[in-house]
Amino acid sequence: MSRRQHFVPSQRLPVSVTSIAADARPRRSVLWIVGITLVGWLLLAYPAVLLALLSVLLMAGTASSPATAGSVVAGVAGLSAVLCMVAAPLLTGLAVSRRRRGMWVGAVVTWVLTVVAVVYLLVNWIIPLA
């Protein structure tokens, strides 16, 4: 007498799970994430510190000219740009390693905001003071 087979694959299911997993590209090493993040942070260290100090000064005001609503909004926008400067290299490293579209979208958006902040610093603060 033959034994009854307990598992009969359904025709609605994919052909095999291993064929789907074989198509996915392997992840890159963690060293890619660390390297891209460190290089990005080294390049953005000076603008980030300068923008953070400028934002705090705008929000705090001075004794002769106290902070206004516009200066507080500018300070908060500057600090959010500093946050983008910190996050952009890390998101880029993760996007290179993980190879996912959502990571790339986040990395590109933060890099665009970072470039806008660096251009603002160059045009309004660094070049006129030089």
Side-chain angles (χ1 to χ4, degrees):
M1 210 177 196
S2 67
R3 282 188 139 181
R4 185 172 160 232
Q5 199 172 14
H6 292 287
F7 176 74
V8 177
S10 172
Q11 293 180 355
R12 293 183 202 144
L13 295 176
V15 177
S16 90
V17 178
T18 57
S19 67
I20 295 171
D23 294 337
R25 290 184 268 173
R27 290 183 181 172
R28 290 193 173 124
S29 171
V30 176
L31 294 176
W32 279 93
I33 301 172
V34 173
I36 292 172
T37 302
L38 288 179
V39 168
W41 283 346
L42 285 174
L43 290 175
L44 293 173
Y46 180 71
V49 169
L50 186 64
L51 188 59
L53 290 174
L54 182 64
S55 298
V56 169
L57 288 176
L58 282 174
M59 288 192 300
T62 61
S64 61
S65 64
T68 61
S71 65
V72 171
V73 168
V76 170
L79 289 177
S80 63
V82 170
L83 182 64
C84 285
M85 287 182 187
V86 170
L90 181 62
L91 286 176
T92 305
L94 287 171
V96 167
S97 175
R98 303 285 190 251
R99 301 178 183 185
R100 300 208 183 231
R101 181 175 291 166
M103 291 285 211
W104 280 109
V105 170
V108 168
V109 168
T110 54
W111 274 112
V112 167
L113 294 174
T114 297
V115 168
V116 167
V118 169
V119 168
Y120 167 77
L121 277 174
L122 284 173
V123 171
N124 287 340
W125 294 97
I126 294 176
I127 292 175
L129 294 176

